[in-house]
């Protein structure tokens, strides 16, 4: 069941696209060389997001704006925008990181499927040729 705060899965003509199911069924495969390039790019982006998240912790603290009700309210507001509410920087970047990691894992699965199908075809040709 999908959480109300989560975006709907991608769809084409109203049909949800389940990448993992398409990979398992062999509808989606990825050449290892191309896949490795894509995995490298995804890994670099995950590392960048991790860096942003590590630095975001410094934002999620009360800003020293003074000791009065307006300053206190603004400091609380800035703190929530950094880490507290559902659309905070930390929550959005954490969700983005999850998508990047899931995509990285799916690319790995598509590479594995490609290699499996390639090996199956090689075995079939070897059997046909009697080698």
């Amino acid at each position: 069941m999908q959480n109300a705060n989560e975006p709907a899965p991608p769809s084409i003509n109203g049909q949800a696209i389940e990448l993992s199911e398409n990979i398992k069924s062999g509808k989606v495969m990825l050449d290892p060389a191309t896949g490795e390039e894509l995995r490298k790019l995804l890994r670099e982006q995950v590392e960048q997001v991790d860096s942003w998240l590590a630095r975001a912790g410094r934002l999620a603290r009360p800003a020293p704006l003074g000791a009065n009700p307006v300053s206190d309210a603004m400091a609380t507001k800035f703190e929530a925008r950094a880490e507290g509410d559902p659309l905070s920087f930390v929550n959005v970047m954490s969700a983005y990181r999850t998508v990047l990691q899931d995509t990285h894992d799916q690319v790995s699965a598509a590479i594995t499927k490609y290699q499996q199908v390639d090996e199956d075809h090689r075995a079939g040709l070897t059997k046909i040729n009697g080698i």
Side-chain angles (χ1 to χ4, degrees), residues 8-22:
S11 63
I12 295 177
N13 296 326
Q15 297 286 328
I17 301 169
E18 288 294 331
L19 184 57
S20 61
E21 291 303 315
N22 285 329

Side-chain angles (χ1 to χ4, degrees), residues 36-109:
E36 286 305 322
E37 287 180 42
L38 183 55
R39 282 172 24 114
K40 179 182 177 226
L41 293 171
L42 289 165
R43 175 59 38 208
E44 288 171 1
Q45 191 63 44
V46 166
E47 290 169 1
Q48 181 65 52
V49 171
D50 286 345
S51 170
W52 293 336
L53 288 170
R55 289 184 284 162
R58 295 188 301 242
L59 296 173
R61 58 183 169 82
L65 298 175
N68 63 64
V70 173
S71 296
D72 291 342
M74 291 304 293
T76 301
K77 180 179 178 180
F78 292 149
E79 187 176 3
R81 284 196 178 160
E83 192 170 24
D85 63 44
L87 296 177
S88 70
F89 177 80
V90 170
N91 287 335
V92 170
M93 285 295 110
S94 294
Y96 178 54
R97 189 201 186 286
T98 299
V99 169
L100 289 170
Q101 186 63 53
D102 289 349
T103 304
H104 181 274
D105 296 344
Q106 293 302 323
V107 167
S108 296

